[in-house]
């Protein structure tokens, strides 16, 4: 049995790392195809190095362009690799253009697709990721859902229940595996002169937020308000998309905000775990905040991770400064005694076992 793993962005590397390591340790016949959607050192190599992953067998180096160009380039180039390798199954993770194009390339060659993190829905058709998730789910042969809620969504959409598996989310595997080392080895708190639980950590990169001058300015203004109210440092590792848009819109970053480049995974885990609160529009960071028991304020009107709202680890704050401030107050007043709804950290093992059972018995 041969497994093809397709990935291309920072969160996919982090969430696929456990599965890759297991394939490697168990001597399975597998290969990794990196699309090159993310390529900057701190979005790709730095993460690869922390997670001690072997180099991918293929890198398509597609780089950045429009959605259609990116998706089409991956589709075309991935097809050649898949034709050559002809794996029994292709695994993709999440909701990026890499995921949709990789799944589609496999599906057209009649290669089975396994979707890790299946069944997430924001119900927001304006998000490019929502389209990617829906389409990928509906061309997948095996759907690995992180939670019962995700499973229910798929059943509602008439996906064959026999294809759906409740496995948890591999982000728990990633956090459990790396948090101890990160807390011991990372020196980022000393480097940035941060006191534990006495700073805010921010990330924002969603297209709907940062490609709009008014919305991006509003988020930045809210961070200044936050600093004035709490007098805690505001640490903002800026995603390259956001960096590009700040320059394009010529937005002045308030001096209260400490802007840094994206950091490696160990430093980021340490920054998250030690933060007083996290403000974000990232999907993976909503999950990690919940797992690490750090209050999360989501700078969006919806989330495809409603489990975090139900558990109480997260609140939707949108992008209006007043509402963000109120949401921070609410979250800082909550006890961080919520449960982690994303599984026990054995998701990678569960997924590989399901795949092996399928192919050994078929
Ligand atoms: C992509 C995913 C998004 C995911 C995010 C994770 C899609 C549609 N979006 O968004 O779901 O949450 O990755 O971080 O697939 N850039 C660099 N260096 C890089 C990568 C990007 O400079 O290594 C810059 C380029 O200017 C590029 C822009 O960031 O145009 C956007 O990159 P792109 O991969 O298109 O989307 P992301 O915003 O990263
Ligand atoms: N992350 C990181 N360094 C950073 C910011 C984030 O290692 O400077 C990690 C973070 O721990 C999480 C993942 O990147 O696991 C989230 O990626 P991102 O927010 O880019 O994507 P999303 O999850 O929204 O798709």
């Amino acid at each position: 049995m041969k497994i093809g793993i397709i990935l291309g962005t920072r969160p996919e590397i982090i969430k696929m790392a456990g599965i890759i390591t297991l394939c490697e340790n168990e001597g399975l016949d597998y290969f990794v195809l990196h699309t090159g959607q993310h390529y900057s050192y701190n979005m790709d190599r730095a993460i690869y190095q922390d997670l001690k992953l072997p180099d991918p067998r293929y890198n398509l180096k597609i780089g950045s362009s429009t959605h259609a160009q990116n998706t089409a380039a991956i589709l075309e180039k991935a097809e050649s690799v898949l034709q050559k390798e002809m794996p029994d199954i292709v695994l993709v993770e999440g909701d990026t253009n890499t995921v949709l194009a990789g799944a589609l390339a496999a599906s057209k060659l009649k290669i089975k697709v396994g979707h890790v993190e299946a069944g997430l829905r924001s119900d927001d058709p304006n998000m490019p990721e929502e389209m990617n998730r829906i389409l990928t789910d509906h061309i997948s042969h095996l759907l690995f859902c992180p939670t019962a809620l995700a499973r229910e969504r798929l059943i509602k959409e008439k996906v064959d229940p026999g294809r759906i598996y409740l496995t948890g989310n591999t982000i728990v595997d990633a956090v459990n595996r790396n948090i101890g080392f990160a807390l011991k080895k990372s020196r980022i708190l000393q480097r940035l002169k941060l006191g534990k639980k006495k700073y805010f950590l921010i990330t924002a990169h969603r297209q709907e937020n940062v490609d709009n001058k008014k919305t991006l300015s509003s988020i930045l203004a809210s961070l200044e308000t936050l600093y004035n109210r709490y007098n805690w440092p505001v640490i903002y590792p800026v995603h390259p998309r956001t960096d590009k848009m700040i320059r394009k819109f010529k937005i002045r970053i308030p001096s209260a905000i400490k802007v840094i480049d994206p950091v490696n995974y160990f430093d980021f885990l340490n920054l998250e775990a030690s933060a007083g609160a996290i403000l974000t529009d990232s999907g993976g960071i909503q999950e990690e905040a919940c797992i690490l028991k750090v209050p999360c304020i989501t700078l969006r009107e919806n989330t495809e991770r409603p489990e975090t709202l139900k558990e109480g680890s997260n609140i939707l704050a949108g992008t209006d400064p007043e509402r963000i401030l109120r949401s921070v107050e609410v979250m800082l007043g909550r006890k961080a005694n919520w449960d982690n709804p994303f599984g026990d950290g054995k998701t990678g093992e569960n997924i590989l076992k399901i795949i092996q059972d399928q192919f050994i018995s078929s």
Side-chain angles (χ1 to χ4, degrees):
M1 184 203 49
K2 190 196 270 192
I3 302 171
I5 295 174
I6 300 185
L7 49 75
T9 66
R10 173 171 67 187
E12 292 160 67
I13 300 168
I14 292 168
K15 288 178 170 177
M16 279 297 202
I19 293 182
I20 296 172
T21 304
L22 282 169
C23 287
E24 193 70 21
N25 292 347
E26 290 180 20
L28 301 184
D29 186 6
Y30 87 102
F31 66 92
V32 174
L33 187 169
H34 191 317
T35 63
Q37 180 175 343
H38 283 178
Y39 47 86
S40 295
Y41 174 79
N42 47 27
M43 300 297 285
D44 178 25
R45 288 315 300 166
I47 309 286
Y48 246 84
Q49 279 162 8
D50 271 1
L51 298 172
K52 295 197 174 51
L53 294 173
D55 284 346
R57 190 175 298 169
Y58 302 95
N59 192 321
L60 304 181
K61 299 205 165 122
I62 61 122
S64 303
S65 49
T66 65
H67 282 278
Q69 282 169 352
N70 240 327
T71 310
I74 298 169
L75 187 59
E76 193 179 340
K77 291 188 173 182
E79 182 183 55
S80 314
V81 174
L82 293 177
Q83 269 170 333
K84 182 172 153 217
E85 292 279 358
M86 282 313 274
D88 296 285
I89 184 162
V90 158
L91 292 181
V92 291
E93 190 286 328
D95 54 21
T96 64
N97 290 341
T98 287
V99 170
L100 174 61
L104 195 52
S107 159
K108 284 184 178 287
L109 291 170
K110 305 267 178 279
I111 298 169
K112 289 178 173 154
V113 176
H115 189 199
V116 181
E117 203 177 86
L120 272 61
R121 298 289 181 268
S122 66
D123 294 314
D124 179 356
N126 292 319
M127 283 183 86
E129 291 85 359
E130 185 74 350
M131 191 96 64
N132 291 344
R133 289 180 200 119
I134 295 173
L135 295 172
T136 304
D137 281 338
H138 286 268
I139 54 174
S140 291
H141 183 77
L142 298 176
L143 297 101
F144 303 113
C145 289
T147 65
L149 207 62
R151 187 174 189 279
E152 276 166 34
R153 288 301 303 248
L154 292 175
I155 289 173
K156 259 196 203 146
E157 291 176 20
K158 310 249 179 295
V159 174
D160 174 0
R163 296 179 172 200
I164 308 174
Y165 295 86
L166 187 52
T167 56
N169 193 312
T170 53
I171 193 68
V172 187
D173 309 23
V175 171
N176 289 356
R177 183 184 291 248
N178 295 297
I179 188 69
F181 192 80
L183 294 179
K184 213 159 96 196
K185 292 288 172 188
S186 162
R187 289 282 158 273
I188 190 121
L189 301 189
Q190 291 87 331
R191 213 159 68 229
L192 298 176
K193 300 190 175 56
L194 299 172
K196 282 198 177 166
K197 300 291 169 191
K198 287 271 178 266
Y199 63 90
F200 294 107
L201 176 65
I202 321 296
T203 81
H205 72 279
R206 291 258 88 82
Q207 185 178 306
E208 314 80 83
N209 276 345
V210 307
D211 284 18
N212 179 310
K213 186 174 182 186
K214 214 169 133 215
T215 311
L216 180 54
S217 304
S218 182
I219 290 175
L220 293 171
S222 75
L223 303 182
E224 192 171 30
T225 320
L226 209 58
Y227 177 78
N228 292 338
R229 162 81 172 75
Y230 290 92
N231 209 17
W232 285 0
V234 177
I235 307 301
Y236 189 172
V238 175
H239 188 285
R241 171 189 284 274
T242 314
D243 185 47
K244 183 171 76 176
M245 298 320 288
I246 289 173
R247 288 168 202 273
K248 182 175 168 197
F249 295 144
K250 298 190 172 55
I251 296 176
R252 187 196 61 86
I253 298 182
S255 58
I257 306 170
K258 171 103 182 124
V259 165
I260 57 174
D261 285 336
V263 297
N264 65 41
Y265 192 47
F266 292 147
D267 280 343
F268 198 75
L269 276 178
N270 190 15
L271 277 177
E272 284 184 295
S274 312
I278 300 173
L279 291 90
T280 191
D281 62 10
S282 156
I285 295 169
Q286 291 174 61
E287 294 161 350
E288 285 171 340
C290 177
I291 297 163
L292 294 167
K293 299 215 184 310
V294 179
C296 182
I297 295 94
T298 291
L299 308 172
R300 293 173 47 189
E301 298 296 345
N302 51 58
T303 176
E304 55 294 308
R305 275 94 175 162
E307 298 85 352
T308 56
L309 302 177
K310 197 160 162 265
E311 292 296 342
S313 68
N314 190 12
I315 192 168
L316 292 179
T319 55
D320 168 65
E322 278 298 307
R323 188 166 151 213
I324 292 173
L325 198 62
R326 279 200 310 276
S327 302
V328 168
E329 272 168 27
V330 169
M331 287 310 294
L332 288 180
R334 272 188 202 167
K335 249 205 171 123
N337 57 0
W338 50 77
D339 289 328
N340 153 32
F342 298 115
D344 60 1
K346 300 213 178 311
T347 298
E349 285 169 46
N350 295 340
I351 290 173
L352 279 183
K353 177 143 191 344
I354 292 162
I355 295 173
Q356 283 170 316
D357 286 351
Q358 280 265 327
F359 285 93
I360 289 164
S361 60
S362 65

